[in-house]
Amino acid sequence: MLEQSIPLLELLKEEKGPILLASHENPDADTLGSALALCMFLKKKGKKAFAGCKDKVPHFLEFLPGAQEVIKLPVDEVFSLAIVVDASGFYRVNAEVKAFRKARIDHHIGGDFYGNYDYIDPEAPSTTALIYKLLCAWDKSAIDEGIANNLYAGLATDTGFFRYSNTNAETFHIAKELVELGAKPHWTFVNFSERESINKMKLISRVLDTLTLHEDGLVAGISIFDRFFKETGCEYADSEGLVNYPRSLEGVEVAYAIIEKPEESLWKVSLRSKGKVDVAKIAEALGGGGHKYASGCKIGAKSYQQAMETLLNAIRDGLYREGLVKHAVSQTT
Ligand SMILES: [Mn+2]
């Protein structure tokens, strides 16, 4: 039975107390779409549900149905059940969540496990694809246009609008059903891709000036300094997706974006792979995590130079593991 294969389903059906759907910090469309879709569905089922995030909803996600109702974490309330979506643990919420029971719905590899309720499938193209299966097993007829659009937004963006290697027949199958349920592909695309601000363009211009190649062109990256945000009137959330510029270069296997976060005294790193190198392993070596093709981590360092050295060493080790360079870092020093 499909119902029994989804660990959280019975728990959610029986839950009578308040439920928090927590998205990870610096939200993307998959985490926020997951939280909103599940929250909207649970409310239709008479549950007391909330979608929450540490950060305010960024401009590029404001169009998601229900986005204005996201609560800002942390809150004083103790939830009966809290589910973190699209993250390998509650540490990714980066705000305290008080709940009697905690669970995860995710498609990342690794992370914390909280017991029998976690719904994890690293093969899933997006977390919203998992939420869709959960909702279908419960009551497909309760998936309305708003829920379908949130689920579609996560699926579309996590697959690069159906172009990345995690796109397969099932991805299109789920997308087709979501469109039948009211998801609007063109509207979604326009909201994501044709709603940029002039400030964001100015930020991109500064960031592209930092574009650097390493390892004979196998690695490319951009550096985003905090002053760039201030000088262009942008905020941190505007850095979302910029790592795709170095990734787009011919010959590049690993792309990075390193972003200064002075308020946390660290550097946030996004990593992308075109397929030969497992960037999840590189991120894990630096205390982060993710997928083979997309991952992230944080580097605590006194200076930009020190953070870059740490990052480039870990990337070099990643290239070495795949036989793309002759020497690991330890062998060259
Ligand atoms: Mn995701």
Side-chain angles (χ1 to χ4, degrees):
M1 289 286 287
L2 184 59
E3 284 202 13
Q4 281 158 350
S5 69
I6 298 179
L8 267 166
L9 185 56
E10 293 309 315
L11 188 74
L12 281 168
K13 279 184 181 174
E14 285 160 21
E15 182 59 65
K16 291 188 173 56
I19 305 167
L20 175 71
L21 295 319
S23 63
H24 59 70
E25 65 174 327
N26 308 317
D28 61 12
D30 195 25
T31 193
L32 212 61
S34 290
L36 286 168
L38 190 48
C39 182
M40 291 161 89
F41 184 94
L42 289 171
K43 281 182 179 169
K44 287 181 89 167
K45 291 292 170 190
K47 310 288 180 184
K48 208 176 163 215
F50 305 88
C53 184
K54 181 198 132 222
D55 301 303
K56 86 173 186 10
V57 174
H59 171 75
F60 78 101
L61 296 176
E62 277 171 350
F63 75 97
L64 290 177
Q68 64 288 346
E69 283 165 41
V70 174
I71 60 169
K72 202 167 180 309
L73 300 177
V75 289
D76 288 334
E77 181 155 10
V78 181
F79 296 93
S80 184
L81 171 66
I83 303 173
V84 62
V85 288
D86 192 45
S88 55
F90 273 85
Y91 71 98
R92 291 276 284 117
V93 178
N94 206 7
E96 192 191 1
V97 172
K98 288 175 275 188
F100 291 103
R101 274 188 288 206
K102 288 182 175 178
R104 297 193 283 145
I105 304 176
D106 190 26
H107 66 137
H108 297 86
I109 297 165
D112 315 337
F113 283 81
Y114 291 95
N116 300 326
Y117 305 118
D118 290 347
Y119 181 25
I120 313 289
D121 181 1
E123 301 291 309
S126 68
T127 299
T128 59
L130 295 176
I131 307 264
Y132 179 63
K133 286 185 189 173
L134 176 90
L135 303 191
C136 284
W138 189 335
D139 179 7
K140 192 172 174 180
S141 70
I143 301 176
D144 59 26
E145 193 181 311
I147 295 169
N149 273 299
N150 274 309
L151 295 175
Y152 182 88
L155 185 67
T157 53
D158 263 30
T159 58
F161 284 85
F162 309 100
R163 294 174 300 182
Y164 296 159
S165 57
N166 58 355
T167 309
N168 57 28
E170 202 200 353
T171 317
F172 284 110
H173 177 75
I174 296 171
K176 169 192 174 278
E177 295 202 348
L178 289 172
V179 171
E180 284 167 355
L181 290 164
K184 293 175 284 192
H186 181 246
W187 176 82
T188 304
F189 173 76
V190 167
N191 271 297
F192 273 109
S193 304
E194 299 179 351
R195 224 162 45 88
E196 299 285 25
S197 65
I198 184 79
N199 291 353
K200 170 83 179 271
M201 288 294 159
K202 286 179 179 167
L203 176 69
I204 293 170
S205 161
R206 303 236 171 161
V207 167
L208 288 182
D209 258 347
T210 71
L211 185 62
T212 309
L213 291 171
H214 316 267
E215 304 289 356
D216 292 325
L218 287 171
V219 178
I222 48 172
S223 302
I224 309 178
F225 299 100
D226 188 56
R227 66 172 187 275
F228 289 180
F229 296 123
K230 297 190 175 102
E231 286 164 3
T232 58
C234 285
E235 50 192 44
Y236 179 84
D238 293 307
S239 63
E240 170 79 22
L242 299 188
V243 70
N244 289 319
Y245 285 103
R247 176 202 177 120
S248 68
L249 289 170
E250 184 174 16
V252 165
E253 287 297 333
V254 174
Y256 68 82
I258 183 166
I259 308 167
E260 184 180 17
K261 292 210 94 177
E263 68 282 9
E264 295 179 50
S265 311
L266 51 78
W267 298 81
K268 169 90 173 28
V269 175
S270 292
L271 290 161
R272 296 292 182 272
S273 166
K274 283 189 186 158
K276 287 184 186 157
V277 180
D278 184 342
V279 291
K281 282 188 190 155
I282 297 173
E284 278 162 24
L286 296 168
H291 313 275
K292 184 180 177 193
Y293 301 101
S295 68
C297 61
K298 290 171 175 177
I299 299 176
K302 287 196 193 79
S303 67
Y304 169 69
Q305 285 72 17
Q306 199 183 71
M308 280 303 291
E309 195 182 327
T310 303
L311 172 62
L312 290 172
N313 285 347
I315 292 174
R316 169 171 266 261
D317 284 344
L319 296 174
Y320 177 73
R321 279 193 291 273
E322 310 301 333
L324 293 172
V325 293
K326 287 201 179 75
H327 303 287
V329 174
S330 55
Q331 291 169 300
T332 55
T333 52

